[in-house]
Amino acid sequence: MYTRTVRLILTFVMIMAGALAGTVATAGTAHADGCYTWSRTLSQGSSGTDVTQLQIRLGGYPGYGSVLAVDGDFGPATEAALKRFQSAYGLTADGVAGPNTFNKLYALQDDDCTPIHFSYSELNDCNSTWSGGAVDAATAKSNALRSMWKLEAMRHALGDQPITVTSGFRSYACNSAVGGASNSRHLYGDAVDLGAGPHSLCTLAKQARNHGFRGILGPGYPGHDDHTHLDHRAGQYWSAPTCGI
């Protein structure tokens, strides 16, 4: 009886020890994600596809008037953007992308890699595909995805209230039908028009300056009194005179 009791006690101790060891081994590990799963910690000096994926999601945190390069190299600008992202969501702002950062990103994205508050359909409401524009379909769709992550950051900065997208990618046919400019950035998939809602058009135009948009056109600029236009043109151009921009 004594031997059996000792054996049971030892077995219980071993089970508990194993369970504890398993807990220690997995504590803080980021879960797998349907869109993309990071498999290592990233910090300054890292490079690769996983850095590129991180930069796409940090595109809305470059700082006032700046644009974060999506080049797969984790440099000072990526670290600064990561710190802003971490601070925005109450994480330790150490500029190192580890389990806590990845878990927050997983929570913010759907399985198709779009941020949870925006969708491909919102950024393409007048075309059946992503073809027919100034770039190939894959590029147009990729540009739209980057815009969505910038909008997600902007939405969070504005108190997590909805942002209304009224126009995104356009084929040449669609652009012509709505009277768009012949060189419109909508043809590239990297432009979005926003309508008023919880926030005024001026509030949207002003806030966009912090989230990586090179082009900002709003109230007071010809043809833009009823929407705020954001894009990723080559050089910075902001004009919304009514808003003081």
Side-chain angles (χ1 to χ4, degrees):
M1 181 69 178
Y2 174 80
T3 301
R4 182 186 178 193
T5 300
V6 171
R7 186 181 298 118
L8 288 173
I9 293 174
L10 289 174
T11 299
F12 177 78
V13 170
M14 291 175 68
I15 291 172
M16 292 302 296
L20 179 60
T23 301
V24 172
T26 60
T29 301
H31 65 76
D33 186 72
C35 163
Y36 184 85
T37 300
W38 285 270
S39 60
R40 60 170 178 156
T41 297
L42 302 175
S43 59
Q44 269 212 63
S46 299
S47 63
T49 301
D50 48 3
V51 175
T52 298
Q53 292 294 325
L54 177 65
Q55 290 169 329
I56 290 171
R57 290 152 182 78
L58 296 179
Y61 292 90
Y64 183 89
S66 297
V67 176
L68 180 65
V70 180
D71 57 9
D73 291 324
F74 196 128
T78 299
E79 180 181 72
L82 177 54
K83 287 181 178 178
R84 293 187 190 96
F85 171 83
Q86 291 169 327
S87 179
Y89 284 98
L91 305 176
T92 300
D94 56 7
V96 175
N100 290 336
T101 295
F102 297 141
N103 281 332
K104 174 51 66 174
L105 289 173
Y106 296 149
L108 287 173
Q109 69 183 14
D110 290 322
D111 283 351
D112 64 354
C113 298
T114 60
I116 56 177
H117 296 108
F118 298 92
S119 66
Y120 282 119
S121 61
E122 285 182 279
L123 274 288
N124 186 357
D125 62 354
C126 65
N127 304 278
S128 59
T129 70
W130 293 87
S131 60
V135 293
D136 62 80
T139 299
K141 191 173 183 179
S142 175
N143 288 342
L145 179 64
R146 297 185 188 190
S147 294
M148 281 187 271
W149 279 103
K150 295 183 180 188
L151 291 175
E152 184 71 27
M154 186 170 156
R155 185 185 191 280
H156 184 60
L158 289 171
D160 283 314
Q161 293 181 306
I163 290 178
T164 302
V165 176
T166 60
S167 184
F169 169 71
R170 301 173 190 161
S171 63
Y172 279 108
C174 183
N175 189 59
S176 177
V178 299
S182 61
N183 62 344
S184 172
R185 295 306 307 182
H186 288 282
L187 296 166
Y188 296 81
D190 65 9
V192 293
D193 290 345
L194 307 179
H199 312 291
S200 70
L201 296 178
C202 283
T203 294
L204 295 170
K206 290 178 179 179
Q207 188 63 44
R209 297 175 295 181
N210 300 300
H211 300 291
F213 292 102
R214 290 194 180 97
I216 302 175
L217 305 175
Y221 184 83
H224 288 71
D225 286 336
D226 62 349
H227 69 280
T228 290
H229 169 94
L230 310 175
D231 66 47
H232 305 143
R233 64 189 65 198
Q236 186 183 96
Y237 186 79
W238 297 347
S239 182
T242 302
C243 309
I245 299 175

